Amino acid sequence: MTDHHPAPHRALTADSRDSGAADAAAPNPPASTRPTYAVTIPASVPMVTLLGPRDELLTTIERQFPTVDVHVRGNELTMQGPSAEVALIERLLDELLIVLDNGQSLNRDAVERSIAMLRAQTAERPADVLTLNIISNRGRTIRPKTLGQKRYVDAIDNHTVVFGIGPAGTGKTYLAMAKAVAALQAKRVNRIILTRPAVEAGERLGFLPGTLNDKIDPYLRPLYDALHDMVDPETIPRLMASGTIEVAPLAYMRGRTLNDAFIILDEAQNTSSEQMKMFLTRLGFGSKMVVTGDITQVDLPGGTRSGLRHVREVLRDIEDIHFAELTAVDVVRHRLVSSIVEAYDRSEAASELRARESERADHEADSAPRRRAHRGGPR
């Protein structure tokens, strides 16, 4: 803990010599028989930053710990409940104070994700995840918000080629671009190359109006949008004109060797196996590659196998290549997005199960006449 925000002071205001036995014997003993724990928050910490406006974050904590009664008076919190749950809240407060001490504000998502990490007993502390700054631009700092995102960012630091696979909203491309900009600013690379296959959502370029550039631009627009969050907009045209930043369709990568570059392939689920091989073999000396995609959102023509699906089987065991799997837990868009992703995952799993059961039933129906004919035939 830093000097500015020392760990909250904890005091036991009721006899707890047998609290462990009491907790084991009665999971929810009457409040009057449970020990009361008091935690004093340092006076230098405004309570509104810790508990949120209108106690919004306190309400979140109470909802996540229904067996603990929490009361606040001044800068002191008193808690009654199972000792293990109280200890978890104390650890949570300690982590949140570290986050505040790093100059960050707290919100409901940060508190809920911190609680989830503490309950999962992960090797990484919540404060380690929430205070890992990648880049800052115009007063805005980009950092991972979930444990999965932090591990993904760490993998980019530690491997030459990283595949970020997961549903929409998990920050796969956004964090990769932040790492690319950070590498460029630190002069670890000389240029950034951003690319996508020009296939999406059932549309084909030939049916779109305008010149080739007009046709391609909508597919690359999400990369431009993310770039504007990380680089001063007035410098982007200059960086693109000089070739320091290049945004181009995947087909433009053919025949090149990309040295001293940070290369990102987005929407990689819409590459064929041949395109994926072509892209990966563009890797040159001093370069780093990040490939991102969602294998549940393939828009390729029927019968074409996704290169992202195939590459997992081919390159899984090769040294210095890492596959980072992000899930609905790592979705950091609107709260409903995570629920939508999980609902679709459940529906697809149920559909696959029904398809397998139907296939098995059809097989059994087909084999039944043959078994009867075999039993009734000559011996």
Side-chain angles (χ1 to χ4, degrees):
M1 184 67 71
T2 65
D3 293 336
H4 295 98
H5 288 161
H9 172 69
R10 177 179 188 266
L12 191 61
T13 60
D15 186 4
S16 68
R17 286 172 294 182
D18 297 320
S19 62
D23 285 347
N28 293 295
S32 59
T33 67
R34 290 184 290 181
T36 300
Y37 302 87
V39 174
T40 303
I41 304 301
S44 58
V45 181
M47 292 299 285
V48 68
T49 64
L50 181 64
L51 303 181
R54 298 180 300 279
D55 288 342
E56 176 184 285
L57 304 183
L58 175 62
T59 301
T60 299
I61 294 172
E62 290 174 327
R63 185 166 50 247
Q64 294 287 323
F65 294 89
T67 61
V68 179
D69 295 323
V70 183
H71 301 279
V72 180
R73 184 171 183 177
N75 68 331
E76 184 177 86
L77 281 77
T78 58
M79 295 173 285
Q80 279 190 323
S83 58
E85 292 289 272
V86 170
L88 206 57
I89 294 178
E90 291 172 342
R91 290 179 58 201
L92 172 66
L93 294 173
D94 200 32
E95 297 295 319
L96 298 182
L97 288 174
I98 296 175
V99 174
L100 290 172
D101 195 47
N102 276 267
Q104 296 177 221
S105 58
L106 297 173
N107 56 36
R108 178 179 169 186
D109 277 346
V111 173
E112 289 181 344
R113 295 183 194 283
S114 296
I115 293 170
M117 281 184 266
L118 289 172
R119 289 199 183 280
Q121 299 181 341
T122 59
E124 299 89 344
R125 295 176 58 179
D128 293 337
V129 175
L130 300 174
T131 60
L132 178 61
N133 298 338
I134 301 176
I135 57 169
S136 296
N137 184 50
R138 301 195 298 273
R140 181 170 181 240
T141 300
I142 297 174
R143 58 177 67 91
K145 296 182 178 179
T146 71
L147 180 58
Q149 288 187 349
K150 180 183 184 297
R151 289 174 175 170
Y152 172 50
V153 168
D154 289 343
I156 293 174
D157 286 335
N158 297 326
H159 297 83
T160 299
V161 178
V162 173
F163 292 82
I165 301 173
T170 51
K172 306 179 297 295
T173 305
Y174 198 79
L175 290 173
M177 291 184 66
K179 293 297 291 183
V181 172
L184 183 66
Q185 291 175 345
K187 298 185 176 358
R188 293 192 296 272
V189 296
N190 295 330
R191 55 182 171 157
I192 296 172
I193 298 173
L194 310 173
T195 186
R196 270 185 164 194
V199 178
E200 193 165 325
E203 298 176 353
R204 295 296 177 268
L205 295 179
F207 294 98
L208 296 177
T211 66
L212 180 61
N213 285 338
D214 292 334
K215 294 170 185 285
I216 289 171
D217 189 66
Y219 294 93
L220 303 178
R221 178 53 52 188
L223 300 179
Y224 286 109
D225 292 342
L227 200 57
H228 275 262
D229 286 349
M230 304 170 193
V231 179
D232 292 333
E234 58 272 17
T235 68
I236 293 177
R238 174 174 56 81
L239 293 171
M240 296 188 72
S242 67
T244 303
I245 295 179
E246 178 182 349
V247 184
L250 179 60
Y252 285 29
M253 300 299 109
R254 192 175 298 277
R256 304 171 64 184
T257 299
L258 306 173
N259 296 315
D260 301 312
F262 198 117
I263 313 145
I264 299 173
L265 170 59
D266 188 32
E267 296 289 328
Q269 75 275 6
N270 289 326
T271 62
S272 66
S273 295
E274 293 77 13
Q275 287 175 316
M276 179 65 74
K277 179 182 177 182
M278 179 275 291
F279 172 76
L280 293 173
T281 53
R282 301 309 95 197
L283 180 68
F285 295 105
S287 290
K288 186 179 289 285
M289 277 185 169
V290 179
V291 179
T292 68
D294 177 1
I295 57 175
T296 69
Q297 298 291 323
V298 177
D299 297 316
L300 292 169
T304 304
R305 188 181 187 190
S306 168
L308 187 59
R309 289 179 183 271
H310 183 228
V311 78
R312 289 202 300 180
E313 303 168 7
V314 175
L315 303 183
R316 174 68 73 179
D317 298 323
I318 293 184
E319 186 179 358
D320 208 21
I321 294 179
H322 179 82
F323 288 83
E325 306 278 353
L326 299 167
T327 69
V329 173
D330 301 300
V331 171
V332 293
R333 291 182 181 172
H334 190 285
R335 297 175 61 83
L336 278 176
V337 174
S338 179
S339 299
I340 290 169
V341 170
E342 290 175 341
Y344 270 97
D345 286 345
R346 289 193 299 271
S347 175
E348 289 168 4
S351 296
E352 291 177 2
L353 179 61
R354 286 194 297 270
R356 288 197 298 270
E357 290 175 345
S358 176
E359 183 178 341
R360 185 168 59 249
D362 290 344
H363 176 73
E364 291 176 353
D366 290 342
S367 60
R370 290 195 296 270
R371 287 198 301 269
R372 287 195 296 269
H374 177 72
R375 286 196 298 270
R379 299 187 181 182

